[in-house]
Structure formats: structure tokens, C-alpha cells
Amino acid sequence: MTLHINEAEVRQLLTMPMAIAAVEEVSRKQAEGIVVVHPRRRFELAGGDFFHYMAAMDGGAGLVAMKQYTYVKGKLCFLVPLYSTETGELLALIEADYMGQLRTGAASGVATKYLAQKLARSAAIIGTGGQARTQLEAIHSVRMLDSVYVYGRNPERRKRFCEEMSESLGINIYPMDSSTAAVQNAEIVCTATTSSQPILRGADVIPGVHINAIGANHAHIPFLKQKERWSQVFELAQLVADKAPGRTKEMQVTLFKSNGIASWDLAVGSKVYALAREKGLGRELPLFRRD
């Protein structure tokens, strides 16, 4: 029977180290052609709202996952259905808000592992929402930070974010008055905002910084009249599988533009499903019964 796994159960089952390991492994399989990804598509609904969907298949594990979500009147609703390719069975319906935050953070964690300076210990987080929290957690998982600088537009949320994350991670986290101030000493930078305008300029960051940019997943701004620079752009899967160069010089500036792909949902969704079965969590739904 199909297993329904709710948000509270996902939080109980999935940890950031698990998510990072799962995303790294699925990225390696993607580079080898074992995992196939269908990119995100969307319907535009009335009032500028959206329905989004994407999918991925792991031919080795015999699994297919979809990511479906709506954005209506400012509210997001996420669902990941997980299927068996061997039986065609719908294995699970997973509520996927927190799971999506974890997998997005995990992808930045993987990128940071491969691209940031090995001895980097300072980071800046621009944004103070749920995604910013998992971004910081993931970065700290792979680089053991000792100083973090945070900027968000709301001073009260900024202060609360710093206090809560400092207590959670056991490191020094400082609220800053601007994004420019936050990044001036940061060896790793993460932008996790919904801003439609640039929040940083190239001159703001220090040499050798690694940047994780999450948020927008609509069409990218191209390199204007420098289209040849796309030859310097690679997928995370290529980097993990050693099919693309990572950092080659300490003073290079590296950038991971995270777009959120379905293979990451497949990776963490299959992990959540296996753990739920192991621990007896979730509810079986009597779907497709013929008796």
C-alpha cells in the first residue's frame, strides 16, 4: 500500500548529514547516466500564481519521484510521490516542505564541500527564512564554521535568527546592518532571498570566496555579450563525479547557482521512505484496491 508521510514525520526521520550524503550520491549517479532528470515545468495560474512539476528516475534503484507544488496567494504546498519502476506501485506520498528545505541546503553543502577553500571558517548568510536556516546548517556540516554574519531586512527576525542558530549550532553568529557588511570577512556566502534586485556586487566579496545562490528558478540572465563564458559553467553532478574542474586556485571566486532539481527530491524522498518503513511511521492509504 501507498505510505503517506507527513511533515512532522519527515522532520523526525531526515537529518542534514543524511541529506548531504544522499544528494552527493545521486549527483554521482546522475553524472554516470544512472539517474535521469526531467527539468522543472510550470503552469501559470490566474493572478500570477503557479503550479510546478518535475521528475527524476534512478534506474539502478528502480525508483521514480516527482516534485509537485503550488504557489497560490503567497502560499506554497509541496508533495513528492515516489514510485517503483519494477511494480509500478505508488510507494509513498511525502509532504515535502521541510524535506525541500533540507535537500536545497544539502545541495549547497555538497557544492561547498567541493568548491570552498578547505580551511574556510567564516560565512555570510543573506536572508533569515527557513531556507537560510538549512543553508547555514549544511555549510557548517562540511566546513565547521566559527563565525557567521547574517543580514535580513527585518531587524527582529535577523536578531532571532542569529540567537536561535547560534544556540542550535554552537557557533558565533552576528547580525549585520547590511549585506555588504555581512560579506566583507566571509569566505563562504549564501544568498537565500526572494529579492528581484541584486543584493551584492562583485566588489563586495573577498578574493577566494565561494558563493551559494539559491532562490530564483526562472530563466537565467545570460552573460550578456560574453556567451563564451558559458564554457566555464558546469553541473553539480559533473563536479561530484570529477568530470569538471572545481577550485584550482585559492583566490578564485566560485559560484553555485542552485536551481533545485528532481534528483535531489528523489534522493531524500527515497531515504525518508526507507526510514519510515523501518521505523513504522506513516499511514498506509488504501489506493488502487481491487477487492
Side-chain angles (χ1 to χ4, degrees):
M1 284 188 181
T2 303
L3 194 66
H4 167 234
I5 305 169
N6 66 27
E7 290 285 352
E9 290 160 338
V10 171
R11 287 179 178 271
Q12 184 178 343
L13 292 167
L14 189 63
T15 66
M16 182 57 76
M18 289 178 189
I20 291 173
V23 169
E24 184 172 13
E25 177 59 22
V26 85
S27 298
R28 189 171 290 109
K29 293 170 80 172
Q30 184 182 340
E32 295 169 356
I34 299 169
V35 168
V36 179
V37 175
H38 282 195
R40 184 191 320 263
R41 300 192 67 181
R42 50 175 61 89
F43 294 112
E44 185 167 0
L45 311 177
D49 296 323
F50 289 94
F51 174 83
H52 309 249
Y53 62 100
M54 50 189 175
M57 179 181 72
D58 185 337
L63 295 170
V64 169
M66 293 192 72
K67 174 74 163 285
Q68 305 167 356
Y69 65 102
T70 53
Y71 178 78
V72 176
K73 293 180 172 57
K75 180 182 178 181
L76 287 158
C77 184
F78 298 91
L79 181 70
V80 170
L82 182 68
Y83 292 87
S84 165
T85 62
E86 296 179 6
T87 65
E89 180 184 3
L90 175 59
L91 300 174
L93 291 171
I94 307 172
E95 297 177 17
D97 185 3
Y98 181 67
M99 190 170 81
Q101 293 176 31
L102 269 186
R103 66 78 146 143
T104 304
S108 291
V110 173
T112 301
K113 174 181 175 179
Y114 283 84
L115 290 173
Q117 293 181 1
K118 299 299 183 186
L119 298 179
R121 294 292 181 268
S122 61
I125 306 294
I126 312 301
T128 56
Q131 292 281 4
R133 291 173 181 267
T134 53
Q135 291 290 312
L136 176 52
E137 184 182 356
I139 294 168
H140 184 53
S141 293
V142 299
R143 279 300 182 272
M144 297 306 295
L145 303 172
D146 54 35
S147 299
V148 178
Y149 309 95
V150 175
Y151 175 72
R153 290 175 296 180
N154 185 306
E156 291 182 3
R157 287 187 62 180
R158 187 193 318 157
K159 181 175 182 290
R160 184 168 64 250
F161 178 96
C162 292
E163 290 172 350
E164 292 175 356
M165 293 305 294
S166 180
E167 182 177 355
S168 173
L169 301 178
I171 56 178
N172 296 317
I173 304 181
Y174 307 98
M176 308 300 289
D177 292 330
S178 69
S179 56
T180 302
V183 304
Q184 64 183 359
N185 294 309
E187 298 160 300
I188 302 167
V189 171
C190 176
T191 61
T193 83
T194 57
S195 174
S196 60
Q197 301 299 319
I199 56 174
L200 291 172
R201 303 287 178 181
D204 295 333
V205 299
I206 65 174
V209 69
H210 169 67
I211 303 167
N212 297 311
I214 74 164
N217 53 47
H218 289 263
H220 298 164
I221 300 172
F223 286 128
L224 299 177
K225 296 180 180 180
Q226 297 176 300
K227 294 182 179 180
E228 68 278 3
R229 293 186 66 189
W230 282 107
S231 64
Q232 298 173 271
V233 177
F234 303 95
E235 293 186 1
L236 181 63
Q238 296 172 287
L239 183 65
V240 170
D242 201 25
K243 295 184 177 183
R247 176 179 295 274
T248 56
K249 298 177 182 177
E250 284 296 293
M251 292 299 103
Q252 281 181 324
V253 173
T254 55
L255 168 69
F256 171 57
K257 176 62 191 86
S258 179
N259 284 303
I261 55 177
S263 56
W264 305 345
D265 299 294
L266 171 61
V268 294
S270 58
K271 183 67 175 177
V272 165
Y273 172 69
L275 288 170
R277 283 295 188 195
E278 177 186 324
K279 297 180 182 297
L281 295 178
R283 285 143 304 287
E284 292 194 335
L285 305 177
L287 303 179
F288 314 115
R289 292 182 62 173
R290 293 179 175 84
D291 52 28

